[in-house]
Amino acid sequence: MSEGKMKTFTGGLAIAALLGALPLAAQSITGAGATFPAPIYQKWFNDYQQVASGVQINYQAIGSGGGIRNITDGSVDFGASDGPMNDKQLKGYEDKWHYPIYEFPTVLGSDVLTYNVPGITTGIKLTPDAIAGIFLGKITKWNDPELEKNNPGVKFPDMPIVVAHRADSSGTTYCFTDYLSKVSPAWKSKVGKNTSVNWPVGLGGQGNPGVTGIVKQQTGGIGYVELIYAVENKLPYALVKNSSGAFIKPDLASTTAAAAGVVMPPDFRVSITNSSNKAAYPISTFTWLLIPSHFSDAAKGKAIVAFLHWAITKGQGEVESLDYAKLPSSVVAKEEVAIGKIKY
């Protein structure tokens, strides 16, 4: 379909009206990508099918890297990532398809540090220096002074630390390494941030289950997983010292606080790790849906536009039940405008 014949809905009212004019023919939409938002996405897709009976959305949680690859090669209708696409990836997509891709934040979440230290079940306190030191391989024992000085009354054993990290390409890793790159010059220069990095130390596991399995199996283990995964599996996790000097427990309130006051750029590519908000948990992030700006299939484009509007409005009422944080209202307003620019 030529661009001149494509229909563009602009403004929240026009998109809202679209909800009452869903395609009559059944639509099967496919997506793939980030594992972190998979629980809320599956709930959304199931619930939305009840709202729009002709729309079935199938999603494979294969990791953010897979989501970016699949939407770029055209094997899915949309992708999902816990880290925004970089400039090279965006250019690669536009070079292939000759139009840009849009990135829409959907919910917020956090990475937490879970551990397996005999006799310690309550939340230990970790500083940025401690976290960077552990994952750089410079802090190798649990009774290291950097750990002991911030945890008075906690008796750490003279035990090796076993680091666990993701082996797959992961938005969870992007969030974690983005944070470390902000708080540790050594990490930034030696490792950097990405969905997959060359880890200085540690054992790799596939997904949250793989990292958790290593931590559970290795006495003295520590690894990073998503907050929702830690909560669902009753894993212990640490309080982390934020940029204001407070040790913050990761939860809905502290995750939302990380996004408070953020200046959202027009393309929605923003990092909220190491937030300046005094109440913020510092390893927090948005997660994004990756949506083509043009659809040659008009009915499919209409269905995806309607779903996006539903997800950032009515769908937000479902997120806290699964330990995600809602989008700030200011972000929702900007997204409605951007959704209206999708053509089909």
Side-chain angles (χ1 to χ4, degrees), residues 124-259:
I124 61 174
K125 296 177 179 178
L126 294 177
T127 64
D129 287 344
I131 298 171
I134 289 170
F135 282 83
L136 282 168
K138 294 181 178 179
I139 295 177
T140 60
K141 293 286 190 73
W142 278 105
N143 62 344
D144 187 279
E146 179 63 35
L147 298 176
E148 291 186 327
K149 72 180 183 182
N150 294 294
N151 291 275
V154 176
K155 186 170 179 56
F156 286 103
D158 182 7
M159 175 181 291
I161 295 174
V162 181
V163 172
H165 57 74
R166 291 284 286 267
D168 51 327
S169 180
S170 157
T172 309
T173 294
Y174 181 90
C175 174
F176 188 61
T177 58
D178 179 52
Y179 165 74
L180 286 175
S181 294
K182 289 181 180 180
V183 300
S184 169
W187 183 275
K188 183 177 181 179
S189 64
K190 294 180 180 179
V191 184
K193 64 179 179 180
N194 210 329
T195 55
S196 180
V197 297
N198 292 321
W199 294 95
V201 67
L203 305 173
Q206 291 289 323
N208 288 303
V211 171
T212 303
I214 293 171
V215 173
K216 286 184 174 180
Q217 293 163 13
Q218 301 286 334
T219 303
I222 185 171
Y224 61 94
V225 297
E226 296 145 8
L227 172 59
I228 181 177
Y229 189 84
V231 171
E232 287 182 343
N233 290 276
K234 298 179 172 57
L235 304 175
Y237 46 89
L239 286 71
V240 177
K241 189 176 184 179
N242 69 9
S243 63
S244 299
F247 285 96
I248 303 294
K249 178 182 178 180
D251 57 23
L252 294 180
S254 61
T255 299
T256 298

Side-chain angles (χ1 to χ4, degrees), residues 257-306:
V262 66
V263 178
M264 182 62 74
D267 62 4
F268 302 106
R269 293 196 297 161
V270 66
S271 168
I272 58 172
T273 56
N274 203 37
S275 168
S276 60
N277 190 311
K278 293 180 180 180
Y281 178 70
I283 320 178
S284 299
T285 184
F286 287 103
T287 189
W288 291 260
L289 283 178
L290 314 176
I291 308 293
S293 59
H294 289 59
F295 285 91
S296 58
D297 184 325
K300 185 168 289 188
K302 184 186 290 187
I304 289 177
V305 164

